[in-house]
């Protein structure tokens, strides 16, 4: 037990100076030491995602952290807090921490984020979802965590597909559920629906679009949501459509001015189950 009133734990790291290319390991593991000074009871995902973010923050030119991102981008339907050491998903979730840091000016949101996770006692009564929601309400004007995630989901697509990120060229694009041409749109049911704070991505290519063409995506969920659709076009702009009911609709025009329209369909149901949520309600049909 640490010396503070909150649930802190003192830790240490042993460094073997003979290991080659060790600098990012030091940044990562030392950050874990600092994390335990704030909150020794937090979910694994935010521990690892923050430590990987710190690797890039301290050694910006090394970029070996991008290796972890592939697993995160390959499974966007998973809950944001999905955590297992059998893969690198929660390490690759450093992309979400990068997103959060962009609101704090030079990464300074991350310290108050961890400061906001502190609680007294061994029960994780204030989790990182709570702290993200509180910080982003102030810095980004977001109404709730689901809206934060919907905004991130659009930017997550742009990171890889549009290279709107420092290491964009080295980051795998997020997995797309279906890519459809404008003249052959389909209805159907998602084969891999999103968990709580997860996403499905659909892309419509707009080659040959006329000035008055529009495309409408209607999502009908199998529960009450909230559901959101974040629209991203090839200029990187995004717009969030959301509804607390079991359905949500987004209509996009100006298709003749863009090469594609990407739809990130996000699900907020199950968020109240807490940050250890690895499965959750999902399923939607696409009209």
């Amino acid at each position: 037990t640490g010396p503070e009133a909150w649930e802190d734990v003192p830790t240490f790291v042993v460094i073997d100076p003979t290991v080659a290319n060790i600098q990012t390991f030091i940044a990562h593991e030392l950050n874990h030491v600092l994390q335990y000074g704030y909150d020794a009871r937090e979910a694994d995902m935010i521990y690892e995602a923050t430590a990987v973010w710190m690797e890039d923050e301290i050694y910006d030119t090394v970029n070996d952290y991008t290796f972890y991102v592939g697993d995160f981008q390959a499974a966007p339907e998973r809950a944001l807090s999905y955590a297992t050491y059998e893969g690198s998903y929660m390490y690759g979730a450093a992309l979400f921490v990068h997103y959060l840091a962009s609101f704090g000016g030079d990464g300074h949101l991350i310290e108050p984020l961890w400061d906001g996770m502190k609680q007294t006692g061994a029960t994780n009564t204030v989790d990182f979802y709570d702290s993200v929601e509180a910080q982003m309400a102030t810095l980004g004007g977001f109404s709730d965590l689901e809206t934060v995630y919907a905004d991130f989901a659009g930017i997550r697509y742009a990171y890889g597909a549009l290279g709107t990120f420092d290491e964009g060229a080295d980051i795998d694009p997020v997995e797309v559920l279906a890519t459809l041409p404008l003249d052959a749109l389909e209805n159907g049911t998602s084969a891999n629906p999103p968990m709580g704070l997860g996403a499905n991505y659909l892309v419509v290519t707009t080659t040959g679009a006329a000035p008055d063409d529009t495309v409408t995506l209607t999502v009908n969920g199998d529960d009450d949501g909230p559901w959101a659709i974040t629209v991203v076009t090839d200029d990187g702009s995004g717009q969030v459509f959301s509804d607390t009911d079991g359905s949500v609709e987004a209509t996009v025009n100006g298709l003749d001015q863009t090469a594609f329209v990407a739809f990130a369909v996000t699900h907020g149901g199950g968020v109240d189950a807490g940050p250890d949520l690895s499965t959750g309600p999902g399923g939607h049909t696409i009209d």
Side-chain angles (χ1 to χ4, degrees):
T1 302
E4 305 296 344
W6 58 86
E7 185 67 6
D8 63 326
V9 172
T11 64
F12 64 90
V13 174
V14 177
I15 299 170
D16 180 354
T18 66
V19 176
N21 302 317
I22 199 174
Q23 64 266 41
T24 56
F25 290 96
I26 294 173
H28 183 112
E29 302 304 337
L30 179 57
N31 189 246
H32 282 322
V33 172
L34 301 177
Q35 291 166 2
Y36 275 90
Y38 287 100
D39 186 354
R41 304 290 177 178
E42 199 46 68
D44 287 346
M45 170 267 173
I46 197 64
Y47 278 124
E48 299 300 352
T50 303
V52 172
W53 169 81
M54 186 62 76
E55 295 178 29
D56 189 53
E57 185 73 7
I58 302 302
Y59 297 105
D60 187 38
T61 60
V62 176
N63 296 336
D64 56 5
Y65 86 95
T66 59
F67 166 79
Y68 299 125
V69 174
D71 195 22
F72 182 69
Q73 295 287 72
E77 75 284 352
R78 289 177 176 169
L80 176 64
S81 59
Y82 184 91
T84 172
Y85 284 96
E86 295 177 357
S88 63
Y89 179 90
M90 61 182 175
Y91 294 83
L95 282 188
F96 181 65
V97 182
H98 272 287
Y99 162 81
L100 295 175
S102 70
F103 286 87
D106 197 28
H108 295 301
L109 171 60
I110 307 308
E111 189 278 332
L113 177 70
W114 275 88
D115 191 56
M117 295 182 206
K118 295 186 300 189
Q119 71 271 311
T120 302
T123 302
N124 189 29
T125 54
V126 183
D127 59 49
F128 78 91
Y129 280 173
D130 297 323
S131 189
V132 167
E133 191 167 59
Q135 293 294 329
M136 294 296 280
T138 300
L139 292 173
F142 292 95
S143 59
D144 50 42
L145 181 64
E146 292 84 357
T147 307
V148 172
Y149 182 78
D151 184 67
F152 165 69
I155 291 174
R156 180 180 182 177
Y157 181 84
Y159 275 165
L162 301 178
T164 59
F165 186 60
D166 286 349
E167 288 82 41
D170 300 321
I171 289 176
D172 292 337
V174 71
E175 184 73 15
V176 173
L177 191 67
T179 300
L180 302 168
L182 188 61
D183 60 355
L185 299 182
E186 300 175 1
N187 301 334
T189 302
S190 171
N192 200 13
M195 301 174 182
L197 293 194
N200 279 170
Y201 288 83
L202 299 165
V203 176
V204 175
T205 56
T206 55
T207 303
D212 58 348
D213 280 341
T214 63
V215 60
T216 298
L217 173 66
T218 302
V219 173
N220 297 306
D222 61 0
D223 59 16
D224 289 338
W227 289 89
I229 301 172
T230 305
V231 176
V232 181
T233 56
D234 61 356
D235 62 0
S237 61
Q239 182 178 2
V240 177
F241 300 81
S242 63
D243 201 304
T244 56
D245 294 328
S247 64
V248 62
E249 183 175 281
T251 297
V252 186
N253 52 28
L255 301 180
D256 59 319
Q257 302 297 313
T258 183
F260 69 81
V261 175
F263 298 93
V265 179
T266 58
H267 186 218
V271 171
D272 290 339
D276 296 321
L277 178 71
S278 293
T279 60
H284 56 262
T285 56
I286 301 161
D287 300 322

